[in-house]
Amino acid sequence: MRIEIVGARSIPDSREKPTIETTLRSGELEAKASVPSGKSTGAHEAKELRDEDGSVSTALSNVTGEIAEAISTREFASTKELDAFLIELDGTPDKSRLGANAILSVSISATRLFALQAGVPLWRYLADTYGTTPSAPRLFVNVMNGGAHAGFRLPIQEHIFMVGEATLTESFATAERGFAELGEMLKSETDDLQMGDEGGYSPAFADFDKPFELLTKLVEKHQNTAIAIDSAANELRNDHGGYTLIGKDYTSEELRKLYVDLVGKFPFHAVEDPFAETDSKSFTELTADIGKQVLVIGDDITVTNPKRIENAIEEKSMNAVLIKPNQIGSVSEAAEAVKKTHSAGWATVCSHRSGETDDTFIADFAYGMGAHGIKAGGLGQKVRREKYERLCSIEKEVTI
Ligand code: 2PG
Ligand code: MG
C-alpha cells in the first residue's frame, strides 16, 4: 500500500498540553491518530519530542517533512514493514531524533489504514498481523486518583476498581455503578472532594487504609470485582534511597511489608510499580512473597521495551507487564512487548496515559492482543469513557 501524509496538527490533550494528531491517506481511504502523553514517566521510555516552549512543532514538521517524504516513494505491506522502516529512518535507540510521538502517530494511523484496506475491524487486523488471540480484557478503572496525577492528595497514584464480568458491556455497567456509589460514599466522608488528571475522584485522606476500606465496600457489593493499585513508586522515592508516603519514610524492606499486609487485608488483584524503576531487587522479593495471589505489574521499570521485559523475566521481578504504545513509540514494538510477556506465561495490561485524547486505539489493541486487562482511567472524563465504550462496541462487532 502507498501511504500519503495528509497533515499533522497540534491538538490539546486532557491536560491542555499540545500533542500530535496525524492524518494519512491511501487512495480513497483516510485515517487519523493522536498520541497521549504521560506525567509519571520511566527514565527509559522512548523520547517524546517537545520544543522548549512545550509545543510539538518540531515533531509535527518531522511528520509532514522528513517522514512524509521518506514514505511517499515506497509501498508497505503491513504495519510491521512500515514500523521497521520508520525505526531505521529515525536511527536512534529511543526515537529521539524524529520523536516517539511523531513516529507513533504515523504508526497508529497507518494501522487503521491497513485495517480499512483489509476490510476488517482494527482489533482483528492487529490480531492477524501479530498472530495473537483476541479476547475481552478486564477493566482496570482508576476510581481514586492520587500521586502526581492529583497533587499527592493521596500517596498512591491509582486506586483501581477492577471488573471482570462475563461481557464487556456488563463490566462497564458494573464499573459505572461502582463509580457512582463510590462518589456517594466519598461525599459523606469529606467535603474536600476534587477530580484528578485521570477522571477519578481525588479525596485527601491522611489515613493510608481509608481508600482501601471504601474500595472493599464496593468489591463486597459487586461480584467479579477486586482492588488494584498503581503506586508509581518512582514518584515516592526520597533522598535517602527509600520511599516517603504521607510524610513517613519507609525502607524498601518496610514498604514491601506494607504491601504484603495490604494484600492480606483487602481483596487485591494487582499491584503496579510497587517500587522505583531502579529497585528491581525489591520487585523480585515482593513477587516471591505475593506473586501467587496477585499480579505484580511492571510499568516504569519495563517501559514496554522488549529488552527490558526480557530482563524482568530473567530476574523474575514481576508476573505481569503494563503495555503503553507511546513508551516504545511504535505499534509493532508494543505488540512484540505483549508477545514476549505472554510467552513467559505472564499477563499484560494495556494502558492509556494520564494526558489523553479521544483516540481509542488502546481499546482495539488490548482486545486484539488478548490482554488480561485494560487501564483507561476513571469515568469522570469523556476521553476515558470513550475507551471503555469502544470496547463495548467491539463486543458487538464480534457477535455480528
Ligand atoms: C501510569 C500512567 C497511566 P502516566 O503510571 O500507569 O495511568 O500514568 O501516563 O502519567 O505515566
Ligand atoms: Mg503506572
Side-chain angles (χ1 to χ4, degrees):
M1 181 168 78
R2 248 176 214 285
I3 299 170
E4 181 198 334
I5 293 188
V6 178
R9 61 177 186 139
S10 174
I11 60 166
D13 72 13
S14 54
R15 276 191 289 248
E16 299 289 325
K17 266 178 74 181
T19 189
I20 300 186
E21 182 192 75
T22 291
T23 306
L24 304 184
R25 185 186 299 141
S26 181
E28 301 279 280
L29 306 173
E30 206 169 277
K32 64 178 180 188
S34 54
V35 296
S37 177
K39 191 189 262 178
S40 63
T41 53
H44 302 279
E45 294 194 18
K47 191 97 173 65
E48 173 185 85
L49 199 59
R50 273 190 198 278
D51 299 329
E52 255 167 41
D53 60 359
S55 75
V56 288
S57 305
T58 309
L60 290 175
S61 32
N62 288 344
V63 173
T64 52
E66 186 172 339
I67 296 177
E69 202 175 308
I71 65 175
S72 67
T73 55
R74 305 173 58 107
E75 297 263 345
F76 297 97
S78 71
T79 307
K80 273 187 189 165
E81 264 189 27
L82 174 73
D83 286 345
F85 178 80
L86 293 172
I87 291 163
E88 206 184 310
L89 181 70
D90 174 76
T92 66
D94 58 359
K95 304 189 176 61
S96 51
R97 197 176 72 78
L98 295 171
N101 43 352
I103 293 174
L104 185 65
S105 75
V106 177
S107 178
I108 295 179
S109 42
T111 307
R112 290 205 164 98
L113 274 187
F114 284 115
L116 285 172
Q117 189 197 37
V120 296
L122 186 54
W123 58 269
R124 171 47 67 199
Y125 173 79
L126 288 162
D128 291 348
T129 304
Y130 300 105
T132 50
T133 309
S135 68
R138 290 156 191 77
L139 308 186
F140 283 57
V141 184
N142 180 8
V143 289
M144 269 181 279
N145 299 181
H149 297 163
F152 287 89
R153 287 162 58 81
L154 296 171
I156 300 293
Q157 180 177 282
E158 300 170 27
H159 304 76
I160 293 167
F161 184 46
M162 194 287 301
V163 191
E165 302 273 23
T167 68
L168 285 161
T169 309
E170 285 171 282
S171 287
F172 188 44
T174 300
E176 295 234 69
R177 274 198 291 278
F179 192 69
E181 287 158 3
L182 180 63
E184 290 307 313
M185 281 190 232
L186 284 167
K187 271 186 226 150
S188 61
E189 292 282 344
T190 172
D191 45 20
D192 176 22
L193 189 58
Q194 302 181 9
M195 294 303 276
D197 282 5
E198 293 197 348
Y201 306 109
S202 169
F205 294 136
D207 174 359
F208 183 77
D209 277 1
K210 189 83 203 168
F212 305 109
E213 287 163 7
L214 296 174
L215 276 176
T216 300
K217 285 189 191 162
L218 282 192
V219 170
E220 282 168 355
K221 259 181 111 162
H222 300 281
Q223 285 186 350
N224 305 313
T225 66
I227 300 175
I229 53 170
D230 179 4
S231 297
N234 275 354
E235 309 287 327
L236 301 172
R237 262 303 204 201
N238 60 31
D239 295 340
H240 16 283
Y243 299 86
T244 305
L245 286 76
I246 327 185
K248 189 172 169 228
D249 288 352
Y250 294 80
T251 61
S252 294
E253 197 56 37
E254 288 164 347
L255 186 59
R256 179 158 66 87
K257 171 119 194 351
L258 182 135
Y259 291 125
V260 172
D261 289 349
L262 208 59
V263 164
K265 224 156 73 182
F266 299 106
F268 259 82
H269 176 74
V271 176
E272 179 188 332
D273 276 358
F275 302 99
E277 64 195 8
T278 47
D279 197 358
S280 69
K281 185 171 154 281
S282 299
F283 263 91
T284 304
E285 288 168 354
L286 183 68
T287 306
D289 286 343
I290 62 171
K292 286 215 162 65
Q293 271 164 273
V294 298
L295 297 181
V296 177
I297 308 176
D299 171 16
D300 291 344
I301 187 171
T302 36
V303 291
T304 315
N305 183 319
K307 286 202 197 85
R308 294 185 68 87
I309 293 169
E310 221 166 84
N311 202 31
I313 294 169
E314 261 165 45
E315 290 182 353
K316 298 189 174 56
S317 47
M318 56 198 71
N319 58 15
V321 176
L322 205 77
I323 303 289
K324 294 165 169 167
N326 87 324
Q327 280 181 326
I328 188 74
S330 77
V331 173
S332 300
E333 289 162 292
E336 191 192 333
V338 168
K339 291 176 74 170
K340 182 131 284 170
T341 306
H342 288 174
S343 71
W346 290 5
T348 51
V349 176
C350 296
S351 168
H352 70 156
R353 299 303 304 246
S354 51
E356 263 298 334
T357 72
D358 62 1
D359 193 302
T360 57
F361 176 77
I362 199 67
D364 283 79
F365 187 75
Y367 195 97
M369 291 292 114
H372 171 88
I374 181 169
K375 195 173 87 156
L379 301 182
Q381 270 179 12
K382 193 164 169 278
V383 290
R384 317 289 165 187
R385 300 177 63 89
E386 282 165 346
K387 275 67 166 173
Y388 301 117
E389 282 159 5
R390 170 66 192 139
L391 281 166
C392 296
S393 334
I394 291 175
E395 190 163 69
K396 293 195 185 92
E397 287 169 7
V398 177
T399 47
I400 285 168

